[in-house]
Amino acid sequence: MKVTIHLTVNGLAYQEEVEPRRTLLEFIREDLELTGTKEGCGLGECGTCTVLLDGKPIKSCITLAVQANGREVTTIEGIERPDGTLHPLQQAFIDHGAIQCGFCTPGMVLSAKALLDENPKPSELEIKQAIAGNLCRCTGYQKIVEAIRSAAEGS
Amino acid sequence: MADFSIVGTRYGRIDGKDKATGRAKYIQDLKFPGMLYGKILRSPYPHARILNLDTSRVEGLMGVRAVATAGDTPNKKFGSYRSGVKDELIFAKDKALYVGDEIAAVAATDEETAREALSLIRVDYEELPAVFHPEEAIKPEAPRIHEDAEKNIASHALTLRGDPDKGFREADLVLEERFETGLQIHAYLEPVGCIASWDSNGKLTIYAPAQNPSWSRFIYSEALDLPMGKLRVIQTMIGGAFGGKLEQKQYLVAAILARKCRRPVKIVNRRDEEFQTSMPRVPMVVYLKMGVKKDGLLTAKEHRIYADNGAYTKYASAVLNLGTYRVDGLYRLRNIRNENYLVYTNKLPTSAFRGFGNPQITFAVESMLDQLAEGIGMDPLELRLRNAAEEGDLNAHGFKYVSCGLKDCLKKTAEAIDWQEKKKRKNIRRGIGISATSHVCGNRSFFPLFDGATAYARVDEGGKVRVLTGEVEVGQGLLTAYAAICAEEMGIPLSEVTVEAPDTDIAPFGLGTWGDRGTFIGGSGVKLAAADAKRQILEMAAEMLEANPSDLDCREGRVFVKGSPQKSLPFEEVASAAVYRRGGSPVFGKGTFIPASELSDSTRYGNISGTYAFGAQAAEVEVNPETGEVKVVRIAAAHDVGRALNLTTTEGQIEGATVQGMGYALSEEVRYEKGIMLSPNFLHYRIPTALDAPPMKTFLVETTDPGPFGAKGVAEPAMTPTAPAIANAIYDAVGVRIRTLPITPQKILEALQKKG
Amino acid sequence: MKPFQYFEPSTLTEALEILHHYRERARVLAGGTDLVVQMKQAKMIPGAVISLRQLQELNFIEVDSGIRLGPLVTMSQIATHAKFDGRLSILKEAALAVADVQIRNLATVGGNIANASPSADVPPALVALGARLRLRNKNSERVVALEDFCTGPFCTHLERDELLVEIFISPIPEGGGAYAWMPKRTAIDETLVGVGAWVAGEAPENTCRRVCLALSSVAPVPLRAYKAESFLHGKPLNSENFRLAGEIAAEESSPRSRADYRRALVSILTETALERAVRRGGAC
């Protein structure tokens, strides 16, 4: 039996009927067709499914869509400006070589955004702790940390 | 240094914006109308006879559109290209040879139905005794895995150069040790997936994150009994590969299903399937013997390797027989005996992974170098410098080192890690270690018909340039590098160039991304294509400007007369004129680069690569002698890259590879019990997180190299020296040498306790 | 995941009623970071899932002479709460040992206790503080000491119709606490060994007046190192005694795998945790 949920995704209000067992990731990728959020492992161990729930990073593959009822979800598609200008973090990732294959990027950027929204001048350790749940196999993390630091300094 | 406007700077990735905004589409994001979802039934036993396969209960399930078994395939054995072995089928027919072996598959309207359908397939197995370690499998009493492979030996090769026995006699110190490396899983974040679709004329299209779209078709063609002309591979954006996204059985299964139900079929691996069936780094047991004279001259080297092939032969034979002798040239060894056994086991087939055998053997050799140094009372850095290869060397295997920055790399990393200082002042918990590496940039042995690359540069009427290549972007920044090469060569802004991911119907035949060849070979092809397109543009401009083509040049998007630069035209205007005045034909530049490499002979002697890349890394570690915990404090890496086309992406490659090397050294481990992989997930297979990655200092040593604008490869060699540098640093810190990877705190603690 | 009946009660009474009805066929959903993973792996196939989403009255943190936590308090809330500082840092340290920030943002202390994983970090820290649990069902309520609550790996005394409604420490004992732990392989990882220590010293020689040691991942349940505690009682709180206590605690542990190595770690981490606890307020 489906459950009606009301939630905001990237600033837009939705009212949808979902099966209780539908994960938030499935809802985002399949029902809303926002494919920027990725499925890397399905068990909440890699972080590529990270989205923001009321501004806080969570792993959407192990969260049920019904848990997002009445809340605000932000995906990678929701952080650029309406006129298409990139969020400073997105620009910093591009400028600092923090993107290689790009698969971890959406989750990584959102974890970083949540950090900077709460702690605008994080230390290097705080940056690493904030993204420790986002695995990256390509970059070795150094340029990701540099990009986040640069975005923090620029703000 | 020549004056380049784009090459050698830090221009941004051309695919950066798509990736940063979530617009980039990977195979999991693609959907076609009428598409079905496939799932594969896999053997739960490591070695079993398949007595009976009953799919009758599936057919009745609502939503199932196709079931496929061995009966739906040509049942022709095939193998990885040039491995010399054909031991695979699309579906196992008589025997399952590892946990994960493909038995059957279904396609259904949704994933859940497909999963349920799998559970309705009844298979009766007769379990057989299984064997899991190459040294066990090679024993005469071990169970036979493939009928035609006695003692489970898939290949055996012996290479002899010079006179190693004489070399050992002349040595003042000879050491013999056993080293063992384990399975390393690629662990790219994007799971393997594909969509297979047949058209009404029997042509198959595979959409997939394929590293080698063009030539993988050789294997698919053989397996499906389909002519190459009926096989199209469209490469989708790749979310990391590292050698793991070459040919995939999954694509063949999808093709069979799609043919049966006449609808596109998508299959995407679950992450546990990824761990259980991906084709990981070849584990090796290395028996190594080396000799050195008191003055530091290395006199001989002998290795005997037992390599774990897994249940089927993929690229492990090339990894073993080609990848493990690159290290021999590092220290000018002339007396060499290499004996390689590739042995089947009832585990997942092993294959290519960044470094391609080099990390395994280099771990052994570079660990032993330090032991030899200690044995003769010499500094390990000095021993390396004493023997290091130099430009102009022809090594014992026939490799011509036309450019070589090895000594520079060693010196730079040593300086960066404060080698002299640290060696003098000993801190009981801290240590430093160094290691070097050498790698090919392309490999002639793979494809006898050619080693090289062709590219097209297509200029349209708007002045935009599109580069078509058969080489593949896996995240390393290849497309961006090609765009930069093209823009630099043509004298136009980077923003005017796009690079297409290969569609084998349109792109030139490309050998693909592996063997560290993308920049050196592929990039050279692009440069030639760009030059050809530029020549045609200048010919057109010559008409328009009433000048001689040889008096013209193009810079920053303007074609001008050298000497009177005010006589100029915008590139776009020349391009549109060229198109319209030539009946709509775009300006089509074509370039083919064939490196100065040769096929090796039957003893594997020959200059198989146009140039060779070198590097060195030094690590500083802190070891807690009470817990065995190792913290990598910092790593310095110096790589001889010829010229860095893009400083940022080159550094990024080195940093990423180094962290993979660190994981290989310290935390990545697969455990098996009775042939079943324990915990096939990221929770237990630990790749380094942001908190584990050490600060890294990267040095790009530039040498004069025949590559495009002087560039050569770096992606692969950057992974090789990390593990031995860390192992050497651990020894320096606490005096224990661990010869098996990963080096866990438990191993260190046990070794310390034994030391007393 | 298999389909299930889903309930989102708006009052605690309603929740207990539904729980009473479904009993062992139901599972309670708090943050879901254990339950959803288990359901995805088909390790848990509940007929009904009862979400506590609307019961925000179960999310509270009160700290005065005692501590009262609602079961829906997340690990992030514990890790960042201003009062869990100084001598109460043991709770912050234990919460920060849980996975990564994404998991901590949803994972709840109630869920963590009810899941009863042998490698959980927060329960041993709470045991060191002498925490007790208030359990309620449709008709009654009872209080159980947390250290008696777990009966085996992933097993507790929680009845099928009961809900954990409060975790309390009353009063906060004198002294100070610390949680020291080692991950299995990488910096963010499951806990290999964890030690929660709470200690109070008394003048004139700072002898141990009270000590509580609770270990993670070295037994099927959070393990009280009673022998180590007995040893330390009445003795001066110094490094030598911490070391000896650590060795005794190591002997008391019964790790399932890598036993020798884990015992070595118990020894070292017990020492570390005690030293830190004393520095924070365990000294007189």
Side-chain angles (χ1 to χ4, degrees), chain C residues 115-133:
Chain C
N115 188 53
S117 160
S119 63
D121 301 290
V122 171
L126 289 168
V127 166
L129 272 162
R132 284 177 289 165
L133 310 176

Side-chain angles (χ1 to χ4, degrees), chain B residues 626-627 684 686 692 745-746, chain C residues 185-188 258 261 268:
Chain B
E626 293 187 305
T627 63
H684 290 98
R686 297 307 293 170
D692 300 290
Q746 198 170 349
Chain C
R185 284 154 292 250
T186 55
I188 288 257
R258 295 198 260 172
Y261 182 57
I268 291 154

